Every structure is written in structure tokens, then in C-alpha cells.
Amino acid sequence: MSKLLIVGTVAFDAIETPFGKTDKILGGAATYIGLSASNFNVDSAIVSVVGEDFPQEYLDMLASRNIDISGIEIVKGGKTFFWSGKYHNDMNSRDTLATELNVLADFNPVVPQNYKDSEIVMLGNLHPGVQMSVINQMDVKPKLIVLDTMNFWMDCAWDDLLAVIKKVDVITINDEEARQLSKEYSLVKAAQKIHEMGPKYVVIKKGEHGALIFNDGNIFFAPALPLEEVFDPTGAGDTFAGGFSGFLAQHENISFESMKNAIIYGSNLASFCVEKFGTQRMETLTEAEITERLEQFKKLTQFEIEVN
């Protein structure tokens, strides 16, 4: 069984959307990535940090999904990272109401010894210096390093970000971030510029409009499934990343053809994530539901056409 190392936040979120609002609930990039990847036959572990206020039941839930939690540090007397946001009516834009770094401010990740030879490393959205620290702890060069980042690090940690981007094989960012990183409006040109920075594969997420993957002149587009209702988009991108990396870890094939399937699986799992607040939907997801929706994706994209 392939090993998948997941690095990112395990956190509290408080979310408000046009459909309602929550108090503090489970969130964090590593949480969504881990829950998504747990739908594949992989040996996964999360490296993160929480405070003493983090409920044991959340840790037990992650462990029950066969996720190794020995790399989640619990800081005595510390408070867990907290983010609060309010989504606008279009559900694509949001306002951050609060960000409390708490124990994340001094986070020094420690990779468990038995995961220092992981074949795939999924670096969730964190300070690029922290992401680099994880890469440097690996005893064996991973077959694939996937990195997620955001515009915040482009604004305040540009040099560190460029340094870590040089070290990774795949970068996953949204269209706005791709344009900021590359200083190109065209996503095709943006992907070419980012490719020159280091990554062999560039995945550009377009939210409700699907995702693109670029590699050495090849382009593939995966649609997003049209949904009747979207309750909460929080974590959809991380769920996508978990599906993408989980699929590749299970199949032990990192070719472009394999990555096409990986982004379909990522899009499929992300379509479930948005149906309820926080991680609720991902915690109850069944294999039958995943398979049924994959069939919907297939029908959405397959067609016969005569080319004269």
C-alpha cells in the first residue's frame, strides 16, 4: 500500500452562507484532504498542530478513517487555529471575518519516522517555509510532491514560495492565483510560466467551472458537476486535492493519463463536500455514492461525434 503524507491545518471554522451559519466546527486543509483521500486504499498520515481545546472526538473520527494521526501535535494550554468567513450570494466570493493563528503561529512540522519514505507528499496551504521544512525531512525523494498555495503567500512570502515551488512536481491553485503568480491573464500562458518555475504539472481550479491540468503542451479539462444546491464551498479545493493525491497514491501511476482520472476523482469528491456545512458530508460518504456520481461525470463528458 502506498504511503501518502498530508501536511496542513487541522482547525476550527465558523461559516456563514445564504443557507445558514455555524458555530465553531471542524475544518482545516489537512482535515479535508485526509477525509477525501481516505476513500482510497492508501496508508495516509496527517502532520499538523492543534491546541488543548481540540476535541478528542475529532481526532478519533480521523483515526477511524485509517488516517495516522501520530503527526498531529497537541500543544498543552494552546488554542487551535480558527478561521471565520461569510460567503456572498454567488457562493464564489467571501469575506474573512476572523483569522486566529494561535498554535499555528509557531508550528514546526515533524514528519513521523515511518512516513519519511512516503511515495506521495501532499503539501496543503501553509507558509511556504513550513512546506519546505517537510520536503527537507524526507529520507527518500518522493515520487510526487503536490503543493497547494494561495494569494496570501504571494503577497507576503514571495521568495519562500518561489523556492518551494521549484521543489514540487504538481501545483494546485485557482485561476485568480494562477494569474497573480504568473502575471499572465491567459490561463494557458499562466500555466506555461508556472511550469518554468519548476512544477511538471499545473492544476488550475475554477470552482463551479471545473479544473484544468497542464503538462508539457498537453491540456485536460475536468468539469464540475452541476449541483442543485451548494450549501458551503469551504474545503472544496482541499477535498479536490485529497481526491487527486489519493487516487494517484492508490494507483501508483503518475503519468499524465493517470492524472486525468485523478482530477475527475478530485472533482467528484469535491461535489459532495459542498452539499453540507464543513466536513459533515465527507464524514458520511459511501463508496456506492461515489461510484454513482462518477457515472454522472462520465455521462456529462462522453459523446460520439463524426469528424470528417
Side-chain angles (χ1 to χ4, degrees):
M1 192 187 295
S2 283
K3 290 180 184 176
L4 170 63
L5 181 69
I6 299 161
V7 185
T9 53
V10 174
F12 292 132
D13 289 342
I15 300 156
E16 184 174 349
T17 79
F19 295 99
K21 61 190 296 187
T22 72
D23 293 322
K24 278 187 180 179
I25 58 172
L26 177 62
T31 305
Y32 284 102
I33 294 168
L35 286 173
S36 183
S38 72
N39 291 290
F40 301 90
N41 185 30
V42 295
D43 178 5
S44 63
I46 288 177
V47 172
S48 191
V49 63
V50 296
E52 200 171 8
D53 58 343
F54 194 75
Q56 183 63 40
E57 67 189 86
Y58 289 163
L59 294 170
D60 292 343
M61 184 274 294
L62 292 171
S64 74
R65 303 296 295 260
N66 294 319
I67 300 167
D68 187 300
I69 59 170
S70 62
I72 300 180
E73 179 190 359
I74 302 172
V75 179
K76 286 235 167 93
K79 292 179 71 178
T80 302
F81 173 64
F82 171 68
W83 175 83
S84 174
K86 180 178 181 178
Y87 287 88
H88 298 179
N89 285 337
D90 65 1
M91 298 293 272
N92 287 320
S93 51
R94 69 188 184 193
D95 298 321
T96 293
L97 304 179
T99 302
E100 298 171 13
L101 289 177
N102 297 327
V103 294
L104 194 65
D106 302 311
F107 177 42
N108 290 308
V110 177
V111 178
Q113 188 60 45
N114 56 330
Y115 286 91
K116 288 186 176 182
D117 60 350
S118 296
E119 287 89 349
I120 293 185
V121 175
M122 178 66 233
L123 300 171
N125 178 30
L126 282 170
H127 191 289
V130 174
Q131 294 173 322
M132 183 69 91
S133 159
V134 170
I135 294 172
N136 291 337
Q137 289 180 56
M138 303 305 290
D139 288 342
V140 180
K141 188 178 187 302
K143 287 181 182 173
L144 198 75
I145 302 175
V146 185
L147 176 137
D148 190 23
T149 192
M150 68 182 296
N151 48 12
F152 178 78
W153 306 119
M154 296 172 202
D155 294 334
C156 71
W158 179 256
D159 290 343
D160 288 338
L161 180 59
L162 289 186
V164 77
I165 285 175
K166 274 184 193 170
K167 299 274 189 181
V168 307
D169 304 290
V170 183
I171 184 169
T172 72
I173 47 179
N174 68 28
D175 45 1
E176 178 191 346
E177 293 156 353
R179 289 178 173 123
Q180 182 174 343
L181 183 60
S182 65
K183 299 177 174 58
E184 292 282 359
Y185 185 80
S186 158
L187 293 181
V188 176
K189 287 183 179 177
Q192 289 168 349
K193 280 273 184 77
I194 297 167
H195 179 61
E196 289 165 10
M197 295 176 184
K200 300 183 195 75
Y201 303 91
V202 178
V203 177
I204 300 179
K205 300 171 287 186
K206 292 170 61 62
E208 63 179 325
H209 303 298
L212 291 152
I213 183 166
F214 298 84
N215 164 248
D216 197 23
N218 297 310
I219 306 174
F220 178 71
F221 171 71
L225 196 69
L227 298 170
E228 286 185 19
E229 291 180 314
V230 174
F231 271 83
D232 174 19
T234 312
D238 297 312
T239 301
F240 171 91
F244 178 83
S245 55
F247 177 89
L248 294 173
Q250 175 175 302
H251 291 267
E252 301 181 359
N253 179 345
I254 55 173
S255 67
F256 185 69
E257 289 303 311
S258 183
M259 290 198 186
K260 288 181 182 181
N261 285 322
I263 67 167
I264 292 289
Y265 266 87
S267 296
N268 187 38
L269 287 162
S271 75
F272 289 105
C273 177
V274 302
E275 291 181 336
K276 288 188 178 180
F277 280 107
T279 61
Q280 289 177 334
R281 188 68 178 93
M282 300 309 294
E283 290 179 45
T284 61
L285 193 55
T286 67
E287 190 176 342
E289 288 174 318
I290 295 170
T291 303
E292 183 184 350
R293 191 161 289 182
L294 274 174
E295 289 294 339
Q296 289 179 258
F297 264 92
K298 202 170 175 183
K299 288 175 186 170
L300 187 68
T301 55
Q302 278 196 330
F303 57 89
E304 296 292 333
I305 189 168
E306 286 187 22
V307 181
N308 296 321

